Amino acid sequence: MEFIKRMKKREFVEMSLKLIASLLAVFVAIILMEAMIYGITLNSHMENNKTALALPTSVAYCIEVKEDKYFVLYYNEQDEEQLSRPKEERNPEWSGVYQNDDDNLLTKAECEALEVKKVVFNAPNAFKFTINGVHFIVMAIVVLAVAGFFVYKFIMLNKEYSKIVDKFNKTGEIEISNY
């Protein structure tokens, strides 16, 4: 009986380590996917935006592209008045003009002179720029799916060892099968 208990304990420890490794791999994959989405979205704003809307309430993110040449990405908060309009009539939340030419780039002094609420000399973080509620829901579903798979495996492992213990108590034999 002691042998069965040690084997069960070993298998549960092994399964727990697999669970931890799997969850870490999922978190690394999520971070890499979000970084990819962030990079694609930022490049899309830099290459495809044809108009930049700078309001007095905007936040200007000055991103250095070349030495003392900054691409300006404007963030316009969507207030209640903006959200009540049809989507086509709203001010864009993010806007900026670059299109791989130096004509639309500003120097640091020009960035500091912008008439906006705030000037920031770095790119926006992913939580403000690309990650939204849908991303959090998808992340939660993936993590729960991996965790759910291992919960199922733990339950099946426990049932298998219950059968082994019952058979040992009835016949005195230990038969371990691959489930």
Side-chain angles (χ1 to χ4, degrees):
M1 190 67 167
E2 188 64 33
F3 172 73
I4 296 172
K5 287 180 182 177
R6 279 187 297 172
M7 277 191 57
K8 181 178 179 181
K9 185 177 178 182
R10 266 192 211 132
E11 285 205 47
F12 271 91
V13 168
E14 181 184 333
M15 191 72 70
S16 299
L17 292 173
K18 286 179 183 178
L19 170 65
I20 291 168
S22 297
L23 288 177
L24 286 174
V26 165
F27 284 122
V28 167
I30 286 171
I31 290 168
L32 292 175
M33 290 294 288
E34 288 299 333
M36 183 184 71
I37 292 168
Y38 178 84
I40 290 170
T41 306
L42 185 60
N43 285 338
S44 173
H45 278 286
M46 291 176 78
E47 294 173 2
N48 299 329
N49 277 357
K50 297 182 178 15
T51 59
L53 180 64
L55 303 171
T57 59
S58 298
V59 176
Y61 288 93
C62 298
I63 304 166
E64 189 170 24
V65 178
K66 298 175 184 169
E67 190 172 328
D68 198 39
K69 293 288 185 179
Y70 292 86
F71 163 69
V72 181
L73 184 65
Y74 297 102
Y75 173 68
N76 302 307
E77 271 191 37
Q78 301 293 310
D79 57 8
E80 292 297 321
E81 187 265 327
Q82 281 290 321
L83 292 174
S84 65
R85 293 181 182 177
K87 193 168 185 171
E88 312 76 54
E89 297 176 13
R90 293 182 198 163
N91 293 332
E93 189 173 16
W94 295 95
S95 64
V97 178
Y98 174 45
Q99 297 175 341
N100 293 324
D101 60 359
D102 289 343
D103 297 339
N104 298 315
L105 297 178
L106 302 178
T107 63
K108 186 170 185 170
E110 291 172 328
C111 285
E112 291 170 344
L114 289 172
E115 295 180 16
V116 292
K117 179 169 89 174
K118 185 178 177 183
V119 176
V120 180
F121 284 96
N122 61 340
N125 67 36
F127 290 101
K128 185 166 191 139
F129 188 53
T130 56
I131 298 176
N132 57 30
V134 174
H135 291 239
F136 286 116
I137 291 170
V138 170
M139 286 183 235
I141 289 171
V142 169
V143 170
L144 289 175
V146 170
F149 171 75
F150 279 98
V151 166
Y152 169 76
K153 294 289 278 183
F154 277 114
I155 291 170
M156 295 307 294
L157 187 61
N158 193 36
K159 282 184 181 180
E160 189 66 31
Y161 271 100
S162 295
K163 289 178 187 175
I164 292 170
V165 168
D166 288 344
K167 185 166 185 172
F168 177 75
N169 289 336
K170 288 179 185 173
T171 63
E173 297 175 355
I174 298 175
E175 182 181 325
I176 298 174
S177 62
N178 294 332
Y179 49 91

